[in-house]
Amino acid sequence: MGYQQALEQYIAATNTHDFSNVEKVLHPQAVYWFSDKTCTSMNEIRRYFENAWDVIREEVYAATDVQWISVDQQSATCLYTYRYEGYSNGKFVSGSGRATNVFVKTASGEWKLIHEHLSGNPE
């Protein structure tokens, strides 16, 4: 599996709303920068994801306008626009923002997400 497929697998895993699927594509030392919180452990990342799925029910997450800005044999970095839609308090909601993802190749040759930085779109 290449780095592009790793991103696709990550998006698909996110849409299962089951963190055990997401965790399979994450590097053990993954760090997330969300707009409101930094998560530096797998437990913190899990809690953040599970809370988000609780707040936005039936969420569908997507990556559009993906640009791979740096790629070598051991790492790959992409920028994209993230989009989400789902239900909050029974009402349909949607939104988007900017994302940066960094993937690294492990010793076993697997591409894993080691960093994600999400921010809302500027007004």
Side-chain angles (χ1 to χ4, degrees):
M1 171 178 60
Y3 56 88
Q4 297 102 327
Q5 291 78 26
L7 174 62
E8 292 170 11
Q9 186 179 18
Y10 172 64
I11 300 299
T14 299
N15 284 322
T16 68
H17 304 162
D18 181 345
F19 190 78
S20 63
N21 293 325
V22 175
E23 189 171 12
K24 291 175 187 173
V25 298
L26 298 184
H27 189 279
Q29 296 165 334
V31 173
Y32 274 70
W33 287 356
F34 296 107
S35 296
D36 62 340
K37 183 172 178 61
T38 296
C39 297
T40 59
S41 72
M42 204 58 70
N43 284 334
E44 287 178 330
I45 297 167
R46 173 187 294 275
R47 281 193 301 271
Y48 199 95
F49 268 76
E50 290 176 347
N51 181 66
W53 291 327
D54 208 32
V55 171
I56 308 292
R57 298 288 184 164
E58 300 176 41
E59 180 192 27
V60 176
Y61 184 82
T64 60
D65 306 319
V66 178
Q67 299 173 43
W68 293 95
I69 61 168
S70 178
V71 176
D72 63 32
Q73 292 183 341
Q74 298 301 315
S75 66
T77 302
C78 67
L79 309 175
Y80 61 88
T81 300
Y82 71 84
R83 300 186 188 286
Y84 68 89
E85 58 183 38
Y87 295 89
S88 178
N89 297 317
K91 295 183 181 180
F92 181 78
V93 295
S94 64
S96 64
R98 299 179 296 180
T100 303
N101 284 18
V102 180
F103 293 85
V104 293
K105 195 179 223 182
T106 65
S108 63
E110 295 179 286
W111 287 95
K112 300 287 185 175
L113 180 64
I114 195 164
H115 179 63
E116 180 167 87
H117 182 180
L118 300 178
S119 62
N121 269 334
E123 298 298 325

